[in-house]
Amino acid sequence: MGEVAEVFADAAYRDAVVDLLGTLAYGELSAFLRLAGDAELAPTLTAKAALSGIAVTEFHHYELLRERLVRLAADPEEAMAPFVAAIDGFHERTAPRTWLEGLVKYYVGDGIASDFYREVSAFLDPETRDLVLGALADAGQGEFVVAEVRRAIQEEPALAGRLALWGRRLVGEALSQAQRVAADRDAFAFLLVGSGGLPGAGLTEVVHMFGRITARHTTRMESLGLSA
Amino acid sequence: MGEVAEVFADAAYRDAVVDLLGTLAYGELSAFLRLAGDAELAPTLTAKAALSGIAVTEFHHYELLRERLVRLAADPEEAMAPFVAAIDGFHERTAPRTWLEGLVKYYVGDGIASDFYREVSAFLDPETRDLVLGALADAGQGEFVVAEVRRAIQEEPALAGRLALWGRRLVGEALSQAQRVAADRDAFAFLLVGSGGLPGAGLTEVVHMFGRITARHTTRMESLGLSA
C-alpha cells in the first residue's frame, strides 16, 4: 500500500493503466446495474436473489478498481467516461428479453471480457496485475448459470438453437464495441504493442491471444449445451 | 450460533418472527433491485455509483435475514412470498420519474420502514432483535441524500413543493400497502398485541408507536428542506 510502483513514472504506461482500470471499472459498474435489472426477469425469488448476488459481486469489483484509480491520482469518473458510450452501446444492443437470454449474456459476455483482461494483465506490473485478476475472480457463479440453462434446454430443446444465435450476436456486438474503443484510445493499444517501461505483446502474440479467447468462448458455449 | 433461543418453542411466536423476517427480507431484496434501477436516473457516474452502493448495502441486509430464516428452518422463498404483492405494489405505484424523486423515496421510505421495524423489535427476543437492528443499520448514506436534495432545492426552489407532495404520496402508498399486509397476516399482529411467550405492545402503545413514527417522518422531511 502507500507508494505506487516505480513503473508509473512512465507517463504512457500510467495513462494506459488508467484507461484499462477505467474500462474495467465502468464495465463492472454497468454489469452490476444491468444484472440487477435482468434479475427482474427471474422466474422465482431464489433465482432473483442468485442473480442479484452475482450483481453485487460485480459492484465489489468496481469498488476495488475505483480505489486503485484514486491511488493512481486519477479521477474515477474521468477515467470511466471515455468508455461509457461503447459499454452502454453494447448493453442497449443486447438487452435480454428473457431470463435465459440474461443468463447466457452474463456467462458469455463476462467470460469473454474476463479472458481479454486476463490476457492483457500479462503485460502489467505485478501489483496492477493482481488487482485486475482479483476483480475478475468468479465466485463459482458460473455453475448456477450453467445448471439453469442446461435444465431449460433439456425441458425445451428448441431453445438451444435460439440461444446459440443469441450467443453469436453477443460476440458480434462485443467485438464491434471493442473495435470502437481500440480505435479511440491510443493508451490502450500501448499495452498490447509495448511502451517505454514494458515490452507489450507484439502482433503475432495478439493474434494468438484472440485465438485463445475464441477457443475459450467455444468451450463455454459447449458447457451451456450450445454451439458457438 | 447453532441453537435457536427457547422462545421459538412457541409456534405462534416462531411464525410471527418468520413473517417479520420474510417481509424484511423481501423488502431489502426489492429495495436493492429498485435502487439499482433508480441509479440509472443518476446525473453523474459518481452519483450512480453512490446509489448503487446504497443498493448493495440493502442486499447484504437481505443476506443476513435470509441466513436467519434458514436457521429457523424456514424456506426463505416461502417466508417472503406472502409479502411480494404488497411490496411490489408499493414500488409500482411509486416508481420515481426523476433522480430526486428516487432519492426522496429512498430516504423517506427506508426511514419509515426502519422506524416501524425498530419499534416492533422491542417485542422480540434479544437475538432476533439484534439481527433486525443490524439489518436496519444505515451506513451514513442518509447524508449523501440530504446533501443532494438540499442542493437541488437551493438551485431550483420550485422543486420543494413538488417533492413535498411526492413525500406525502409515498407515505399514503406505504400505509395502504401496510394495511393490506396487516389484514392478511395474523401472525404479524400477534407481535403487536402479544402472544404466548411475549407480552406485545397493547393498543395504547401501538397508538404511541405510530405517533413516534410520524414525528420522525416529519423530522426527516424537514432535514430535506421539505414540509411533511
Side-chain angles (χ1 to χ4, degrees), chain A residues 26 29-30 32-37 39-40 43-50 52-56 59-60 62-63 66 75-77 80-81 84 88, chain B residues 26 29-30 32-37 39-40 43-50 52-56 59-60 62-63 66 75-77 80-81 84 88:
Chain A
Y26 189 68
L29 181 59
S30 67
F32 161 74
L33 292 167
R34 301 295 168 150
L35 282 170
E40 301 282 9
T44 65
L45 291 180
T46 305
K48 188 175 280 196
S52 300
I54 295 180
V56 166
F59 185 77
H60 291 312
Y62 158 77
E63 290 180 312
R66 187 187 184 286
D75 178 285
E77 178 142 0
M80 293 191 283
V84 168
D88 284 358
Chain B
Y26 189 67
L29 181 59
S30 66
F32 161 73
L33 293 167
R34 301 295 167 150
L35 282 170
E40 301 281 10
T44 64
L45 290 180
T46 305
K48 188 175 280 197
S52 300
I54 295 180
V56 166
F59 186 77
H60 291 312
Y62 157 78
E63 288 181 313
R66 187 186 185 289
D75 178 285
E77 178 142 358
M80 293 191 282
V84 168
D88 283 358

Side-chain angles (χ1 to χ4, degrees), chain A residues 17-228:
Chain A
V17 167
V18 168
D19 258 16
L20 180 71
L21 299 178
T23 0
L24 256 171
Y26 189 68
E28 297 282 1
L29 181 59
S30 67
F32 161 74
L33 292 167
R34 301 295 168 150
L35 282 170
D38 297 347
E40 301 282 9
L41 299 166
T44 65
L45 291 180
T46 305
K48 188 175 280 196
L51 201 63
S52 300
I54 295 180
V56 166
T57 306
E58 310 270 13
F59 185 77
H60 291 312
H61 292 164
Y62 158 77
E63 290 180 312
L64 283 176
L65 294 157
R66 187 187 184 286
E67 272 168 33
R68 180 70 181 168
L69 282 165
V70 170
R71 268 191 69 208
L72 290 174
D75 178 285
E77 178 142 0
E78 276 172 33
M80 293 191 283
F83 309 106
V84 168
I87 292 173
D88 284 358
F90 171 74
H91 286 300
E92 274 152 32
R93 283 181 183 77
T94 59
R97 287 154 310 172
T98 65
W99 168 242
L100 290 172
E101 283 188 0
L103 291 184
V104 171
K105 177 179 169 182
Y106 161 70
Y107 189 68
V108 165
D110 203 73
I112 292 178
S114 296
D115 283 342
F116 172 72
Y117 289 115
R118 205 168 278 124
E119 292 281 355
V120 169
S121 74
F123 309 107
L124 296 171
D125 61 288
E127 207 185 344
T128 309
R129 183 190 311 139
D130 289 349
L131 176 87
V132 168
L133 294 178
L136 299 177
D138 176 285
Q141 296 153 332
E143 286 167 38
F144 162 75
V145 174
V146 169
E148 282 272 309
V149 174
R150 293 194 81 103
R151 194 168 44 80
I153 292 174
Q154 207 156 29
E155 280 170 22
E156 194 185 335
L159 281 173
R162 263 181 282 154
L163 289 175
L165 211 63
W166 170 245
R168 286 195 283 279
R169 216 181 106 203
L170 290 170
V171 175
E173 295 291 352
L175 279 180
S176 117
Q177 298 300 330
Q179 275 165 347
R180 191 171 153 189
V181 169
D184 269 10
R185 305 296 297 180
D186 282 349
F188 224 144
F190 281 166
L191 278 179
L192 294 176
V193 299
S195 81
L198 289 153
L203 199 59
T204 321
E205 180 50 24
V206 170
V207 171
H208 286 159
M209 185 189 299
F210 279 99
R212 286 193 295 270
I213 293 175
T214 307
R216 284 193 216 110
H217 166 67
T218 305
T219 310
R220 261 190 307 271
M221 290 292 277
E222 281 165 0
S223 76
L224 290 173
L226 303 174
S227 62

Side-chain angles (χ1 to χ4, degrees), chain B residues 111-112 114-116 118-119 209-222:
Chain B
I112 292 178
S114 295
D115 283 342
F116 172 73
R118 205 168 279 124
E119 292 281 355
M209 186 190 295
F210 280 99
R212 287 192 295 270
I213 292 176
T214 308
R216 284 193 216 109
H217 167 65
T218 305
T219 310
R220 261 191 307 272
M221 290 292 277
E222 281 165 0

Side-chain angles (χ1 to χ4, degrees), chain B residues 81-92:
Chain B
F83 309 105
V84 168
I87 292 173
D88 283 358
F90 171 73
H91 285 301
E92 275 152 31

